[in-house]
Amino acid sequence: MSALDRFREMNESFPQTAQILDHKKRGGKVIGWLCTYVPEEIIHAGGALPIRIIGYSHEANLDDANAHLYINNCTFSRSCLQLGLKGQYGFLDGVVGGSTCDGARRLFDIWRQYIGTPFHHVLTVPRKYTERAHKLYYDEVVLFKKHFEEHFGVEITDKALIKSTKELNESRSLLHQLYELRKRDKPPISGADTLEVLNAAYRMPKETFNRWIAELIKELETGDKAFTGRARVMLVGSVLTNPEFVKSIEDQGALVVTDELCTSTRYWGDKVVLNDGRPILEAISHRYLNNFPCARMYPSDERFNRIIEYARDFRVDGVISEIVRYCVPYAHDLPLLTDRLNEVGIPTLALDVEYGTAGSGQIATRVQAFLEMLEARKK
């Protein structure tokens, strides 16, 4: 089985994957997290397996979730809740969230009330990068660590935190190496297959993931695969976990070479900086608050500048924004981002979608028209 096939097979069985169930059989704890501002290092250092709670990777019936969450909550939060209400996350020993948007916060409240996972914790996440904001978030991380230790009867030492940080930093380094391969004129991996790897990154033990992705990178570097397209495209926007959606864009002739999503670059983009004089817990909290920003963060320039930097590094011809309906932070952010991209000569196509969509005829038509425009600009 190729390295990519292993990722696909594991993703198809999520959330009831062999890796998670084996961890449980050995007596291990599994903690689900709902937002990229939750520090996985603390969970990992506490001896538990951190996994990301996501919804169905396809459009699904959400009747049970709709009975608990109002329909103007995004379909991502409702899809997560639907899986939880159906017992698909029954193996969880805890759930950790962040107060990052109304949809995520309400999902956490309903989950705690109606699903009843034994351990639950929510972190307050500031929207700024000021000294006071860093102090607030650091205090939140300290409280989370203390709550985790008290509930599970463990001590999370600095030594354990450093070890876990190095393991997660290795994952981030390897994902960076994978993305470097996508800078080639003819990348050896498609955007859809890259999303398969990204999905696996938060669904399995990091130690196993690091081994698998290292093998994949070696295969790609020595193999003869080479993907081409009519134009090089970057994806931005809301949470995205369905590779079929990316494939539907690539099927029209786009070459998806990079992205800015909380399930991709915003998840792995920055490392925890070690040996800079900060205590390890401060280093961890500093990384999470200063990581590739979400659309909720203020001021927006830090995020816009990073997106433009990525677009230039990957020689992007155009940007496709996919925003899940009712995803307020990204919907409000898009006009400002579009203006900034226009200033540097990068066109944007905005797609309004439901979470889990695999694409549609209307999306295919709009992508085709966008690619034709990009081709005309290059002549």
Side-chain angles (χ1 to χ4, degrees), residues 41 165-177 265-274 276 278 280 282-292 306 310:
E41 285 83 354
T165 297
K166 289 179 178 178
E167 196 70 54
L168 269 74
N169 274 352
E170 178 67 9
S171 296
R172 294 162 183 144
S173 292
L174 288 163
L175 284 164
H176 178 77
Q177 290 178 42
T265 46
R266 289 209 307 99
Y267 172 63
W268 60 264
D270 293 14
K271 293 182 183 179
V272 175
V273 178
L274 297 170
D276 68 346
R278 288 190 181 96
I280 182 60
E282 283 187 24
I284 290 170
S285 65
H286 189 269
R287 180 267 175 194
Y288 277 85
L289 195 59
N290 286 276
N291 190 35
F292 201 131
R306 289 223 201 179
Y310 265 66

Side-chain angles (χ1 to χ4, degrees), residues 12 97 152 154 183 209 264 272 278 293 342:
E12 286 173 0
F152 292 105
V154 298
K183 290 182 178 179
F209 173 77
S264 62
V272 175
R278 288 190 181 96
N342 283 336

Side-chain angles (χ1 to χ4, degrees), residues 15-32 43-51 91-94 148 152 203-208:
Q16 302 288 328
T17 67
Q19 290 78 8
I20 293 172
L21 298 180
D22 286 347
H23 183 82
K24 289 290 290 187
K25 286 178 183 176
R26 294 194 301 270
K29 304 296 183 183
V30 181
I31 307 296
I43 299 169
H44 189 276
L49 171 62
I51 68 155
F91 54 79
L92 289 179
D93 298 286
F148 188 99
F152 292 105
R203 294 175 171 177
M204 62 193 300
K206 287 293 186 289
E207 295 81 356
T208 306

Side-chain angles (χ1 to χ4, degrees), residues 54-57 76 195 199 202-203 239-243 263 355-356:
I54 64 161
Y56 294 94
S57 289
F76 172 70
L195 190 55
N199 283 342
Y202 40 76
R203 294 175 171 177
V239 57
L240 175 64
T241 58
N242 189 353
T263 42
Y355 172 73

Side-chain angles (χ1 to χ4, degrees), residues 44 57 68 184 240 246 318 335 346 378:
H44 189 276
S57 289
H68 293 82
R184 294 180 181 178
L240 175 64
V246 182
I346 301 175
K378 292 191 289 185

